[in-house]
C-alpha cells in the first residue's frame, strides 16, 4: 500500500475543512437547496441574475490556473456539478457536451466541480467529453466561495447553471433545488438563443 495517496488525501481533506470553516453562509440562496429531502447550507457570497459575475480561479486538467477573466469578451455557460463520478452529474455534463456545445461554438462551455483534475481527466476520456472544458475547484474553493455554492460539511458544489453574457453579467441563473435532479435544459437553451 502506498503512503503518498493517503497523505495527499489527508492534506486535501484538511484544506477543504479549513476553507469551508472560514466562509459565511450564502444568505441569498438560504433554504433553496436540499439533499435527500433535507436542506443543505451553502457557503460563500452568492450571485443573482443581473449581477456582474465575480472573477474566479480554478484549475484545468494540468493544474494550470484558469480564471473567468481569461474569457474576456466571450459569453460563458457554467455548468456546476457536485461530482462527475455520480450519475446525475455525468448526465448533466454529457448533455451540455453532446447536445448543446456544438450548437453554440462561440460560447465558452465550462463544467466546474470539486473533483480533482485527475478524476476529471479520466471522466472526460471515458465519456468522450471533448467540447465542454472541465475545471476543478478543489485547490482553492474560490469558485464555490465567489458564487455561494460550497455545501457546508461536504466540500462539494451545489448543482447550478449560469449563463454570462459577453460582458460577464449574469444573464441566467438556475440553482437546482434538489441535488438529485437534473437542470431544466430547455430554459438554458432558450437563454442561449438570446445571446
Amino acid at each position: 500500500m502506498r503512503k503518498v495517496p493517503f497523505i495527499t488525501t489527508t492534506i486535501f481533506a484538511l484544506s477543504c475543512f479549513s476553507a469551508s470553516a472560514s466562509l459565511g453562509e450564502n444568505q441569498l440562496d438560504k433554504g433553496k437547496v436540499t439533499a435527500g429531502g433535507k436542506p443543505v447550507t451553502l457557503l460563500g457570497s452568492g450571485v443573482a441574475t443581473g449581477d456582474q459575475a465575480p472573477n474566479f480561479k480554478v484549475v484545468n486538467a494540468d493544474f494550470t490556473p484558469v480564471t473567468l477573466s481569461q474569457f474576456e469578451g466571450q459569453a460563458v455557460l457554467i455548468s456546476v456539478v457536485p461530482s462527475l463520478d455520480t450519475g446525475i452529474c455525468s448526465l448533466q455534463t454529457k448533455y451540455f457536451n453532446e447536445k448543446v456545445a456544438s450548437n453554440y461554438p462561440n460560447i465558452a462551455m465550462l463544467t466546474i466541480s470539486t473533483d480533482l483534475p485527475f478524476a476529471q481527466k479520466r471522466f472526460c476520456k471515458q465519456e468522450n467529453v471533448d467540447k465542454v472544458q472541465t475545471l476543478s475547484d478543489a485547490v482553492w474553493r474560490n469558485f464555490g466561495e465567489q458564487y455561494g455554492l460550497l455545501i457546508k460539511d461536504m466540500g462539494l458544489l451545489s448543482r447550478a447553471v449560469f449563463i454570462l453574457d459577453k460582458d460577464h453579467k449574469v444573464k441566467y441563473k438556475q440553482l437546482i433545488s434538489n441535488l438529485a435532479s437534473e437542470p431544466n435544459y430547455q430554459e438554458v437553451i432558450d437563454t442561449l438563443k438570446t445571446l
Side-chain angles (χ1 to χ4, degrees):
M1 180 184 288
R2 288 194 265 166
K3 303 267 183 194
V4 175
F6 174 75
I7 292 169
T8 303
T9 303
T10 303
I11 292 169
F12 177 68
L14 289 172
S15 69
C16 292
F17 174 76
S18 63
S20 62
S22 64
L23 290 179
E25 186 175 338
N26 173 355
Q27 295 299 317
L28 180 67
D29 297 312
K30 186 173 183 174
K32 293 182 180 177
V33 179
T34 62
K38 296 180 181 178
V40 298
T41 300
L42 299 180
L43 303 176
S45 301
V47 297
T49 302
D51 287 354
Q52 185 67 41
N55 198 16
F56 57 80
K57 185 171 152 185
V58 291
V59 293
N60 66 16
D62 301 318
F63 280 89
T64 302
V66 175
T67 64
L68 176 60
S69 58
Q70 289 175 242
F71 301 95
E72 184 178 355
Q74 186 176 17
V76 181
L77 178 144
I78 305 172
S79 171
V80 188
V81 298
S83 175
L84 293 170
D85 283 329
T86 62
I88 301 299
C89 299
S90 174
L91 288 172
Q92 179 175 334
T93 303
K94 289 191 286 187
Y95 184 90
F96 285 117
N97 185 71
E98 296 165 10
K99 311 266 189 203
V100 181
S102 57
N103 294 325
Y104 301 92
N106 296 325
I107 298 174
M109 300 269 173
L110 313 177
T111 289
I112 300 178
S113 73
T114 51
D115 295 299
L116 287 172
F118 311 115
Q120 291 185 337
K121 194 172 188 177
R122 184 187 68 241
F123 170 83
C124 290
K125 184 175 181 182
Q126 288 175 345
E127 301 295 340
N128 297 314
V129 172
D130 56 356
K131 298 175 192 73
V132 171
Q133 185 177 1
T134 55
L135 300 168
S136 174
D137 198 30
V139 178
W140 302 289
R141 296 295 200 262
N142 183 254
F143 175 82
E145 178 180 351
Q146 295 298 325
Y147 287 71
L149 296 176
L150 188 62
I151 302 172
K152 185 178 180 180
D153 299 327
M154 291 179 77
L156 300 173
L157 297 175
S158 192
R159 189 180 312 284
V161 180
F162 296 90
I163 297 175
L164 315 180
D165 65 17
K166 291 181 180 181
D167 299 318
H168 294 169
K169 290 270 179 83
V170 180
K171 186 167 176 89
Y172 175 83
K173 173 185 176 180
Q174 185 182 154
L175 181 65
I176 289 73
S177 59
N178 181 346
L179 279 182
S181 299
E182 289 180 79
N184 181 328
Y185 298 116
Q186 192 57 53
E187 276 188 10
V188 175
I189 291 167
D190 289 345
T191 304
L192 290 173
K193 287 176 181 175
T194 68
L195 294 178

